[in-house]
Amino acid sequence: MNTPSFFQTDALIAEDIDAYLEQHQHKSLLRFITCGSVDDGKSTLIGRLLYDSKMIFEDQLAALESDSARHGTQGTEIDFALLVDGLAAEREQGITIDVAYRFFTTEKRKFIVADTPGHEQYTRNMVTGASTADLAVILIDARKGVLQQTRRHSYLVHLLGIRHVVLAVNKMDLVGYDQATFDAILADYRAFATSIGISDFTAIPISGFKGDNITALSANTPWYSGPALIEHLETVEVDAAAAQTQPFRMPVQLVNRPNLDFRGFAGQIASGVVRPGDAVRIVPSGKTSTVKAITTFDGDLHEAVAGQSVTLTLADEVDCSRGDLIAAAGDPPQASDQFCATFVWMDEEALKPGRGYWLKLGTQMVTATVQPPKYEIDVNSLEHLAAKTLTLNAIGVAEFATDRPIAFEPYATNRQLGGFILIDKFTNATVAAGMIEFNLRRADNVHWQPVAITREDHAGMKNQKPKVLWFTGLSGSGKSTIANEVEKQLFVMNRHTFLLDGDNVRHGLNRDLGFTEADRIENIRRVGEVAKLMADAGLIVLTAFISPFRAERQMVREMLPPGEFVEIFVDTPLSVAEARDVKGLYKKARSGQLKNFTGIDSPYEPPESPEIRVNTVDMTPEEAARYIIQQILPLK
Amino acid sequence: MRSLTHLERLEAESIHIFREVVAEAENPVMLYSVGKDSAVMLHLARKAFYPAPPPFKLLHVDTTWKFKAMYALREKAAQDAGMELLVHQNPEAKALGINPFDHGPLHTDMWKTEGLKQALDLYGFDVAFGGARRDEEKSRAKERMFSFRTASHSWDPKNQRPELWNLYNARKKKGESIRVFPISNWTELDIWQYIMNEGIEIVPLYFAAQRPTFEYEGGLFMADDLPRLEAVMGYRPEITMRSIRFRTLGCFPLTGAVESSAASLSEVVQEMLLTTTSERQGRVIDKDGGDASMEKKKQEGYF
């Protein structure tokens, strides 16, 4: 067997070991996973990599040869899979059933390979292997093409945030090294990959068994111009250093206090860079201090970067312990007790929504409850399925609530600060792995951007006092008509106004919402936020929405400074509104064609003490408008 | 911005693991075998808690058949680290006079497997650090960093806790324990390189020197304690002085020596890289019981 030039050069080792060690010293590390269906040849490929990189010794090779004769599936040839399939049960069944970690080195890099299982019931192991990988090699059997399991593995790889994907079309020897077969698989996979958000991947035709395009380009595939698999793995850029460009964050593992003079905070830096003198903030408490020193066994450091395990001392006696996070003072992470996450269920016993689980994120351990999943993701079709729970190997999206605020980042921003596990409080089993999508308490965590031009400046420029004139009443009560009239009269008075109309907003901003109770609540919340922004801009805002619930009207009132929210109850009795039926909706609702119609089969809660009440039975819209304006004057 | 080298990443990972255990375990201990992997593990533990000494004890499960040089370094290393050293010898094995010549696999089982279980139960340790590496052996490659053991110390390879990111689940019930392997992801070359970079003291037997040797069942061994050997073997083996060294250290009658002239660290590494047999081959332990022997031993509670 030819030893390819990629691997450790015996000549250098023999002639100048110190030069070799110096070279090895500065190698970077690439962690990757291999995944594919049962029989796609993963273990064979890894066995081949180990063999070609001379990680198999003569005694192991001898054992392998005897094993191959006994259990092997390759006739008289060496079955590399036997080398990798470590556990006895696996050797008997001939499949890989757990994650195995393998190591090999080339001249340029050191590699840690997670060999992850292809069998459906072991999804959790694949997710485990993917969680620490920088790159994924997805194997496809050239004879079979893109299978459901290929799709599932690709989806999981993407879900776990692996940005580098290699599509290794294996067993090319069994399809006669046919280019058309390769191209067809490539096109098929590209269509799928694009649909799930994998924008880039490298496809390589290989034979793990024969060694084609593994370490060097093969003469059997003259139509393929490279790179060979190893060459690609050696040169692909790793994003490990990317974490350094983010703001500083270090979860505190423990407080090191050997004597009264030393109090250090030990942890592994999750992102960014830290130097003595840096201003830091403890999250969630918000206390601030500065870094006094970065203490290590090898002496104090002038700088430490993401990935390093260090001990920090601070200039002040601040309260800080395990579970807290030390962050850049000016750019701390979010802290919240509610968030939305995608999670993989990994236990035989299904998720119990509402039950308390231990949630471990970074060094934080809190009790968390999970809401019933919003949906489960079918990893084969990627459809969203309705789900009341998640069972073993299911993936879903749900809202999580913790018993106290925790600091985190979205998983897409930082794996260490966005990935968490759930632990069953009784069995202590690790039952789920989750990836935080977003914080549900946005307002608590958006650090307000101070603006130079204040809302007072905006209003002063317009020479008016901002207001939100909130019209509420039944459908057909005359809200829109009167609000329009009010706006016309204000316009004549040179007031700067804007009218938000219920029907119009539902065509744009809120077109995703229906008429269920939850959607009605969200509809009003959004309109309230928009109205508030417009009031901040100095406008007099008029809104015409049924807004049937008191609680939501109260919510909008509380968003605004006192006196700015003017609730106007357009008080038209149901019988009158229904008799008018301008849009023919009451008729539809009465006949059952329209569900959740306010006043018919959905409640309307009239205001208890509105600022203004107008009676549309006795007043024309013009009269009502004049009356309203009189009530809100002066407007300067 | 700078990228960390592979050794820096491995060191940071190991330190992180030590600290997680100390933060979450009630009564951890470090299994210390005096070999080069133990030496690296001990060094990493000192780094993890500096300027404090590591906040746990060292435990040597002794078979009474270790090399004299190992016993010497054992005491010194513990002292240098400012740690208390516990030594446990299985009293039953002692009483029965279990030795590697007359008792074969029973020697390992009683002194090491049973001895370890006894010591863990005796002191009530709930977490034991071990210096195993995944590149050593097939079943090690699949073991978690945090390897959960039942109250009877057994390992169930089919029911391991998933281990994601750098999040380790150290929760357990009373009586259950966890073996933690902080240097799982280190290779033999990494270990040597780190010993070199950090100037870590290791047993001199790793370096070649003229030593008294004898041949036994096709292997080359060192006559570390000739009178004792003679007593158990029933005859005086023929002793030849040879330049030998050891790639791995265990009980002297079970650990095969290699003829070598590698007397410095870089020569040792050079020899290791150019060699064609695997590290554990010098140890008899992996061969008894056939193909799956290490896996079987681990299920029974072997380290």
Side-chain angles (χ1 to χ4, degrees):
Chain A
M1 164 122 285
N2 290 337
T3 302
S5 59
F6 285 101
F7 295 103
Q8 54 197 36
T9 39
D10 288 1
L12 183 61
I13 294 168
E15 284 157 23
D16 191 348
I17 182 65
D18 293 326
Y20 172 80
L21 288 174
E22 176 63 17
Q23 180 196 69
H24 184 70
Q25 184 92 303
H26 298 107
K27 282 176 190 173
S28 59
L29 175 64
L30 181 82
R31 297 188 68 145
F32 70 96
I33 65 165
T34 52
C35 35
S37 315
V38 177
D39 298 332
D40 278 347
K42 287 182 312 295
S43 297
T44 305
L45 174 67
I46 294 173
R48 161 71 64 183
L49 291 173
L50 299 178
Y51 181 84
D52 286 356
S53 61
K54 302 184 61 185
M55 296 305 283
I56 301 175
F57 296 105
E58 271 175 9
D59 55 326
Q60 290 175 325
L61 199 59
L64 184 61
E65 278 162 2
S66 80
D67 271 9
S68 297
R70 198 147 32 116
H71 307 288
T73 56
Q74 304 294 345
T76 54
E77 301 204 51
I78 292 174
D79 187 351
F80 291 110
L82 292 176
L83 186 76
V84 181
D85 286 345
L87 304 181
E90 293 172 40
R91 281 195 293 276
E92 282 149 24
Q93 293 168 25
I95 54 164
T96 309
I97 58 169
D98 206 305
V99 194
Y101 295 91
R102 296 285 162 189
F103 308 83
F104 69 96
T105 304
T106 66
E107 280 186 10
K108 295 197 179 111
R109 260 197 184 144
K110 179 182 157 156
F111 298 91
I112 300 181
V113 194
D115 181 15
T116 60
H119 208 272
E120 185 160 5
Q121 74 226 50
Y122 296 107
T123 293
R124 67 174 200 176
N125 292 329
M126 147 113 205
V127 168
T128 302
S131 73
T132 50
D134 308 304
L135 177 146
V137 176
I138 295 174
L139 277 133
I140 288 190
D141 185 332
R143 297 167 303 173
K144 295 178 188 160
V146 177
L147 298 178
Q148 216 165 59
Q149 293 191 72
T150 316
R151 296 192 189 96
R152 172 168 49 237
H153 295 148
S154 302
Y155 171 72
L156 292 175
V157 158
H158 185 62
L159 180 70
L160 270 289
I162 297 177
R163 295 196 187 96
H164 303 286
V165 174
V166 173
L167 183 73
V169 181
N170 195 18
K171 306 196 180 182
M172 286 302 292
D173 53 317
L174 300 181
V175 296
Y177 301 101
D178 179 39
Q179 182 178 8
T181 305
F182 176 76
D183 288 346
I185 290 171
L186 182 56
D188 201 10
Y189 186 77
R190 175 164 291 133
F192 169 73
T194 309
S195 76
I196 61 165
I198 296 177
S199 52
D200 194 23
F201 64 90
T202 303
I204 307 176
I206 63 162
S207 166
F209 181 54
K210 299 281 185 192
D212 298 290
N213 294 326
I214 303 292
T215 54
L217 287 182
S218 166
N220 293 320
T221 52
W223 43 267
Y224 176 73
S225 57
L229 181 60
I230 285 293
E231 186 187 347
H232 181 68
L233 296 178
E234 275 189 325
T235 52
V236 69
E237 280 187 37
V238 203
D239 344 282
Q244 288 179 34
T245 61
Q246 294 178 14
F248 172 69
R249 277 120 181 63
M250 187 187 88
V252 175
Q253 286 186 281
L254 44 86
V255 180
N256 192 346
R257 186 146 216 193
N259 55 58
L260 289 175
D261 302 327
F262 188 90
R263 185 157 170 264
F265 303 98
Q268 187 171 16
I269 301 173
S271 69
V273 176
V274 67
R275 296 179 189 91
D278 282 358
V280 291
R281 187 185 299 271
I282 315 300
V283 185
S285 78
K287 299 273 164 42
T288 55
S289 184
T290 49
V291 176
K292 193 163 97 186
I294 306 167
T295 304
T296 75
F297 186 84
D298 306 303
D300 286 0
L301 303 180
H302 68 278
E303 174 185 281
V305 302
Q308 283 183 292
S309 289
V310 294
T311 300
L312 302 181
T313 54
L314 301 180
D316 310 278
E317 279 275 326
V318 289
D319 193 19
C320 179
S321 56
R322 177 170 171 84
D324 288 336
L325 191 129
I326 302 178
D331 198 355
Q334 326 181 26
S336 169
D337 57 4
Q338 284 183 33
F339 55 81
C340 180
T342 303
F343 64 120
V344 183
W345 198 255
M346 300 181 147
D347 199 57
E348 299 283 350
E349 194 184 325
L351 161 73
K352 293 266 195 313
R355 171 186 284 184
Y357 294 96
W358 291 118
L359 181 148
K360 189 172 185 185
L361 186 152
T363 59
Q364 306 169 98
M365 183 84 96
V366 296
T367 296
T369 53
V370 191
Q371 293 292 304
K374 291 182 180 177
Y375 52 85
E376 180 181 338
I377 298 159
D378 180 323
V379 285
N380 297 318
S381 66
L382 304 182
E383 278 177 304
H384 294 184
L385 311 172
K388 290 196 170 69
T389 181
L390 290 188
T391 54
L392 181 62
N393 291 316
I395 299 170
V397 173
E399 293 181 356
F400 289 70
T402 55
D403 63 348
R404 56 182 187 272
I406 57 169
F408 60 82
E409 298 274 23
Y411 186 76
T413 306
N414 188 304
R415 277 173 156 191
Q416 309 303 336
L417 298 175
F420 63 87
I421 55 172
L422 293 184
I423 299 168
D424 186 291
K425 287 193 167 187
F426 178 71
T427 65
N428 291 322
T430 302
V431 293
M435 289 137 281
I436 296 183
E437 304 281 344
F438 53 83
N439 189 346
L440 286 168
R441 292 196 184 245
R442 294 177 188 83
D444 290 351
N445 306 288
V446 175
H447 302 280
W448 287 103
Q449 182 63 36
V451 286
I453 308 298
T454 64
R455 71 195 310 274
E456 286 71 29
D457 296 333
H458 284 294
M461 167 82 94
K462 295 180 180 68
N463 195 25
Q464 66 183 27
K465 276 189 189 166
K467 295 264 178 215
V468 174
L469 308 180
W470 191 276
F471 292 79
T472 174
L474 294 169
S475 176
S477 61
K479 298 180 299 296
S480 295
T481 311
I482 296 170
N484 258 297
E485 192 56 38
V486 171
E487 191 178 31
K488 272 201 287 189
Q489 295 187 19
L490 288 172
F491 187 79
V492 173
M493 294 161 68
N494 287 325
R495 298 302 98 193
H496 299 269
T497 60
F498 197 85
L499 173 62
L500 290 166
D501 183 83
D503 286 344
N504 297 351
V505 169
R506 279 187 176 276
H507 282 113
L509 177 66
N510 290 354
R511 72 172 161 214
D512 56 326
L513 300 176
F515 290 89
T516 62
E517 195 168 306
D519 281 2
R520 283 171 182 271
I521 292 167
E522 176 61 11
N523 184 42
I524 296 307
R525 191 193 67 77
R526 290 187 198 172
V527 170
E529 291 288 353
V530 172
K532 177 182 177 296
L533 289 174
M534 288 181 163
D536 284 349
L539 295 177
I540 296 166
V541 188
L542 303 93
T543 68
F545 293 81
I546 297 173
S547 46
F549 306 119
R550 285 184 197 115
E552 277 63 57
R553 296 193 300 260
Q554 182 62 27
M555 173 179 76
V556 179
R557 183 186 289 274
E558 287 167 6
M559 287 179 194
L560 293 158
E564 269 184 29
F565 182 82
V566 181
E567 189 174 31
I568 302 169
F569 179 27
V570 182
D571 188 5
T572 303
L574 178 62
S575 56
V576 178
E578 189 170 353
R580 287 179 192 158
D581 205 8
V582 195
K583 299 169 197 162
L585 298 175
Y586 281 97
K587 212 171 144 190
K588 280 190 185 169
R590 286 291 181 198
S591 68
Q593 288 170 267
L594 199 59
K595 291 286 179 204
N596 297 324
F597 195 76
T598 303
I600 308 298
D601 57 352
S602 184
Y604 178 79
E605 300 170 0
E608 283 167 341
S609 49
E611 273 78 7
I612 300 169
R613 177 193 301 264
V614 290
N615 180 331
T616 65
V617 180
D618 299 330
M619 284 192 262
T620 65
E622 292 76 13
E623 286 169 348
R626 268 197 297 280
Y627 173 71
I628 291 165
I629 289 172
Q630 279 167 13
Q631 305 299 308
I632 59 173
L633 288 173
L635 286 168
K636 291 185 187 177
Chain B
M1 194 161 75
R2 68 187 197 89
S3 335
L4 302 181
T5 65
H6 69 281
L7 280 178
E8 286 177 310
R9 277 179 75 174
L10 290 171
E11 180 188 76
E13 178 182 69
S14 302
I15 289 175
H16 174 81
I17 289 168
F18 274 114
R19 291 168 172 176
E20 282 300 285
V21 169
V22 164
E24 296 203 1
E26 283 168 30
N27 188 17
V29 69
M30 181 189 288
L31 301 178
Y32 180 69
S33 76
V34 211
K36 66 183 193 310
D37 297 324
S38 277
V40 165
M41 187 166 65
L42 178 57
H43 188 77
L44 289 164
R46 294 176 71 183
K47 284 198 166 192
F49 302 100
Y50 180 85
F56 40 81
K57 292 171 185 168
L58 295 173
L59 171 65
H60 185 220
V61 179
D62 190 15
T63 64
T64 71
W65 287 95
K66 301 293 173 188
F67 293 91
K68 281 185 239 161
M70 293 174 74
Y71 292 118
L73 183 64
R74 181 179 78 177
E75 312 298 327
K76 181 174 187 295
Q79 208 171 10
D80 289 351
M83 296 166 77
E84 191 183 326
L85 172 75
L86 303 171
V87 175
H88 182 80
Q89 299 170 346
N90 180 356
E92 219 182 319
K94 212 171 183 172
L96 293 170
I98 301 295
N99 69 71
F101 293 95
D102 300 330
H103 305 102
L106 194 63
H107 171 79
T108 299
D109 182 57
M110 288 203 65
W111 282 112
K112 295 176 87 174
T113 308
E114 288 307 312
L116 174 60
K117 289 197 243 179
Q118 283 170 359
L120 295 179
D121 290 343
L122 178 67
Y123 297 102
F125 294 124
D126 61 340
V127 174
F129 293 107
R133 307 190 321 264
R134 284 170 171 159
D135 75 331
E136 279 177 88
E137 198 271 337
K138 278 189 281 192
S139 73
R140 292 271 193 226
K142 305 207 168 186
E143 191 160 6
R144 303 288 191 254
M145 298 272 197
F146 281 51
S147 187
F148 181 80
R149 303 298 163 104
T150 64
S152 58
H153 301 283
S154 68
W155 179 58
D156 180 359
K158 290 257 183 78
N159 195 21
Q160 299 194 80
R161 290 174 177 176
E163 217 162 59
L164 293 103
W165 301 292
N166 61 351
L167 296 176
Y168 302 102
N169 175 0
R171 300 195 70 86
K172 63 210 165 310
K173 292 182 189 167
K174 201 106 194 114
E176 296 169 341
S177 63
I178 298 179
R179 308 280 167 87
V180 174
F181 305 106
I183 57 168
S184 289
N185 283 332
W186 295 59
T187 62
E188 190 181 6
L189 177 57
D190 298 330
I191 293 288
W192 281 117
Q193 189 137 36
Y194 193 71
I195 288 170
M196 220 160 151
N197 290 353
E198 302 281 317
I200 300 168
E201 186 173 4
I202 53 172
V203 181
L205 294 169
Y206 285 112
F207 304 105
Q210 288 290 324
R211 297 188 170 101
T213 67
F214 65 96
E215 286 174 43
Y216 181 75
E217 292 187 354
L220 184 63
F221 298 90
M222 175 176 164
D224 197 48
D225 187 341
L226 191 56
R228 197 170 171 204
L229 269 180
E230 207 176 329
V232 292
M233 290 174 82
Y235 64 94
R236 189 187 178 93
E238 190 184 328
I239 302 299
T240 318
M241 291 301 284
R242 288 186 174 93
S243 176
I244 56 158
R245 63 177 203 90
F246 294 86
R247 298 178 60 197
T248 175
L249 292 175
C251 296
F252 70 82
L254 285 177
T255 308
V258 288
E259 287 200 79
S260 167
S261 59
S264 73
L265 269 172
S266 53
E267 283 166 356
V268 165
V269 175
Q270 185 174 36
E271 195 176 273
M272 190 266 296
L273 289 172
L274 295 175
T275 197
T276 54
T277 53
S278 70
E279 186 182 9
R280 293 193 79 87
Q281 200 230 3
R283 289 209 200 175
V284 183
I285 181 168
D286 289 345
K287 291 186 192 148
D288 39 79
D291 201 15
S293 76
M294 177 64 90
E295 185 181 340
K296 201 162 149 286
K297 283 195 173 65
K298 281 153 65 83
Q299 287 179 20
E300 288 158 3
Y302 177 66
F303 176 68

